[in-house]
Amino acid sequence: MAHIAEDAAALLTGPDARRIARCAAAPCDRFMIRTHARRQWCSERCGARQRANRAYARKQDKSPAA
C-alpha cells in the first residue's frame, strides 16, 4: 500500500497533475489523465454509453406524440 500511496502522491504533485480530470459520464466516478484535449471519458465503455444515451434521447424527441 505504501508504494501505491507514493505513486498517487507523485502523480498529484508531478507535472501531469494539471491533466487529471473527472470522467464526463453521469454515473461514472472515475478520474483520468487527459491524453488529448478532447478526451472526456475514462474509457471507451463510458464514451459508448454516453453516445448511446444521446442517440436514444434524440430518437425519443423526434417520435410523434401518442
Side-chain angles (χ1 to χ4, degrees):
M1 291 299 285
H3 186 63
I4 293 172
E6 288 175 11
D7 286 347
L11 177 64
L12 294 173
T13 59
D16 290 333
R18 62 182 175 78
R19 297 186 334 178
I20 296 174
R22 183 179 288 261
C23 181
C28 185
D29 59 356
R30 294 180 182 166
F31 287 88
M32 64 180 170
I33 296 178
R34 285 188 187 257
T35 54
H36 190 276
R38 292 187 63 195
R39 183 172 179 186
Q40 298 176 0
W41 303 293
C42 65
S43 66
E44 289 294 321
R45 183 176 170 199
C46 279
R49 185 183 309 121
Q50 291 301 305
R51 287 188 290 275
N53 287 343
R54 284 195 308 258
Y56 180 76
R58 282 193 305 268
K59 184 177 179 181
Q60 294 301 314
D61 289 343
K62 289 183 181 179
S63 64

